[in-house]
Amino acid sequence: MTKKIQSALISVYYKDGLDKIVKLLHENNVEIYSTGGTQSFIEELGIPVIRVEDLTSYPSIFGGRVKTLHPKVFGGILYRRDNADDVETAAKFEIPSIDLVIVDLYPFEETVASGASEDDIIEKIDIGGISLIRGAAKNFNDVLIVSSRNQYDEVFNILSEKGCATDLEDRKRYAKEGFGMSSHYDSAIHAYFAGIDDGGNFRSQKQTPLRYGENPHQSAAFYGDLEAMFEQIHGKELSYNNLMDVDACVKLIEEFEALTYVIVKHNNACGVASAETSKQAYLNALACDPVSAFGGVIITNAKVDLATAEELHQLFFEILIAPEFDEDALAILKKKKDRRLLIRKSVKTSKKQFRTLLNGVLEQDKDLSTETANDFTTVTNIAPTEEQVKSLEFALKICKHLKSNNVVLAKNGQMLACGVGQTSRVDALKQAIDKAKEFGFDLNGGVMASEAFFPFPDCVEIAKNAGIAAVVQPGGSIRDQLSIDYCNENGVAMVTTGVRHFLH
């Protein structure tokens, strides 16, 4: 099923990297059809090209809305070379065989994201391009479809190695990617008209196979463009579990403007700290739970400098994510060959979350609510001090991103301990207190944050006895007054937010 390319149709919006393919086709005597800007681009390379208008005997009309929509174009793509009737019809109507289609689509999503007018957005809905992709992909037995500039390098290598020929496996794989491109594009258009976030259309996005899922017996893949979000500058490929922890890291670090380090293990933070310097923030985060930090994933919102890198290098960790690295810091961190180092880029992500379960899918808005002092309502006789308010804000940012039931203990820009994923909030608090004591923290004057209300006063009583001086929680229990009364009787400040942050 190897087929030599005799003719090609090329019509693209993005021309970067196209020149080497065009030159290769010309060197192999491939006849090239094109139109508009792509035709001019090819002609500027000094390579002969046949105008689509000359093939169809129709000019580009309606402001370029109709250029390739013609039987001589689509017939040349779709007719079956092994079907005698198709071959006869093609000959009768002088329809040329088109064996390669290189086409991309108008930048619809980019135009929407730019805030352009509706007229401009509508004009970026591609009609001819999407039809060419679908037609060529449907006839993969005979035609190779190249539907993205991201494929140019690989296509060039394939054609170079095979003498401008393709085999069925190549054509079928690129057909799959073409239909994926078509699906994603149409879904983006639908989302625009429906006024919705299209984050759930994951299968139309780029697929990256993973070695396995959560466990070696589970197959897995990532759908999306990781390269748009991160530049991996060192280490082996990311695994399924790595990506889960990276996601948890990114969500949590986005809560902080101050210089902060976060350490995550199994999707939960085991260390969080903000400080004046990168080194101190990292050391304070590590001190939270140096045992759990072993093999964890670390993220910061600051440049990693040499002093911090020297401390980081002493810990075995899986991944370090930062906006940038000093060169001398990289020289230290790259000494471990498997250690993954990622530069995080600024990229817009979906505001929706999706989860498969039972025989369907759950959809919800992401929890983007972050409560600050302006949202606090003091419900006790004494109010938290200014420093306690800062600590309460800090702790609340963290507990929002921990598995329920959870509590966070904090003081002076440092998480002292947390209890996570417990069926009882009392157990979560006891876990946190035990952790804090294990690693030598003094809880006196510290604060406690809870992602959900206290149905009984037992948690505030246990916290008070451990030294906690102020508490933040959403409130909303019919027994709220019991916890408030205990705090009033024992000199503990409590504020409520009215916003619950369950995470399961």
Side-chain angles (χ1 to χ4, degrees), residues 26 28 51 81 86 180 190 205 212 238 283 330 437 476:
H26 177 59
N28 284 267
R51 300 193 315 158
R81 279 58 160 177
D86 282 10
H190 169 259
Q205 301 178 44
Y212 53 79
L238 300 177
L283 290 176
L330 283 177
K437 290 179 179 178

Side-chain angles (χ1 to χ4, degrees), residues 259 261 274-282 305 308:
L259 194 161
Y261 268 75
S274 300
E276 292 297 318
T277 68
S278 180
K279 177 181 175 180
Q280 194 58 55
Y282 165 67
D305 56 25
T308 312

Side-chain angles (χ1 to χ4, degrees), residues 137 140 145 147 151 170-182 203 207 209:
F140 64 83
I145 174 61
S147 55
Q151 300 168 336
D170 297 328
R171 298 190 297 274
K172 194 168 187 176
R173 177 164 60 87
Y174 278 90
K176 178 195 74 174
E177 294 184 14
F179 281 122
M181 178 74 68
S182 170
R203 286 198 180 275
Q207 182 194 61

Side-chain angles (χ1 to χ4, degrees), residues 127-391:
I127 303 300
I130 204 79
S131 302
L132 289 169
I133 289 173
R134 290 176 62 83
K138 177 177 180 177
N139 199 21
F140 64 83
N141 275 318
D142 300 304
V143 181
L144 175 67
I145 174 61
V146 180
S147 55
S148 168
R149 56 180 166 169
N150 296 328
Q151 300 168 336
Y152 288 174
D153 287 342
E154 185 183 41
V155 168
F156 176 78
N157 292 334
I158 290 172
L159 298 183
S160 296
E161 293 169 5
K162 299 179 180 179
C164 261
T166 62
D167 58 39
L168 182 60
E169 182 181 357
D170 297 328
R171 298 190 297 274
K172 194 168 187 176
R173 177 164 60 87
Y174 278 90
K176 178 195 74 174
E177 294 184 14
F179 281 122
M181 178 74 68
S182 170
S183 174
H184 178 80
Y185 196 76
D186 284 341
S187 294
I189 295 169
H190 169 259
Y192 169 74
F193 279 98
I196 61 174
D197 186 320
D198 191 42
N201 184 34
F202 69 91
R203 286 198 180 275
S204 67
Q205 301 178 44
K206 178 182 178 183
Q207 182 194 61
T208 302
L210 304 174
R211 281 197 303 155
Y212 53 79
E214 284 186 280
N215 302 291
H217 64 276
Q218 295 172 267
S219 61
F222 175 81
Y223 292 87
D225 187 2
L226 278 177
E227 293 179 0
M229 195 160 191
F230 304 103
E231 177 187 354
Q232 183 166 351
I233 56 176
H234 187 69
K236 59 185 180 180
E237 65 184 16
L238 300 177
S239 70
Y240 182 100
N241 291 327
N242 289 155
L243 291 170
M244 293 285 288
D245 283 340
V246 166
D247 181 63
C249 278
V250 169
K251 288 176 180 175
L252 182 48
I253 200 67
E254 286 182 343
E255 298 284 350
F256 296 93
E257 294 183 3
L259 194 161
T260 302
Y261 268 75
V262 171
I263 306 173
V264 164
K265 189 74 169 288
H266 293 300
N267 306 158
N268 286 301
C270 59
V272 184
S274 300
E276 292 297 318
T277 68
S278 180
K279 177 181 175 180
Q280 194 58 55
Y282 165 67
L283 290 176
N284 289 353
L286 178 64
C288 298
D289 187 347
V291 174
S292 296
F294 182 86
V297 175
I298 304 172
I299 191 168
T300 180
N301 55 9
K303 178 191 288 188
V304 178
D305 56 25
L306 177 61
T308 312
E310 289 174 337
E311 296 293 340
L312 283 159
H313 189 58
Q314 299 177 43
L315 175 72
F316 168 72
F317 60 86
E318 291 277 350
I319 303 168
L320 174 60
I321 309 164
E324 54 184 326
F325 296 81
D326 281 336
E327 287 301 319
D328 50 4
L330 283 177
I332 296 289
L333 295 168
K334 287 183 176 181
K335 289 182 179 180
K336 297 288 180 68
K337 68 176 183 178
D338 289 337
R339 177 183 283 162
R340 293 103 159 162
L341 303 177
L342 305 180
I343 295 176
R344 186 184 170 204
K345 304 175 186 177
S346 177
V347 63
K348 181 181 177 182
T349 57
S350 173
K351 293 183 180 181
K352 293 287 186 179
Q353 287 180 312
F354 302 86
R355 177 179 292 184
T356 60
L357 67 128
L358 301 176
N359 63 344
V361 177
L362 281 176
E363 174 189 349
Q364 69 170 353
D365 296 334
K366 283 184 177 178
D367 185 355
L368 300 177
S369 176
T370 300
E371 293 73 53
T372 64
N374 292 332
D375 305 298
F376 292 172
T377 299
T378 302
V379 294
T380 48
N381 295 333
I382 61 171
T385 66
E386 183 177 345
E387 284 304 310
Q388 287 171 346
V389 167
K390 291 179 181 178
S391 293

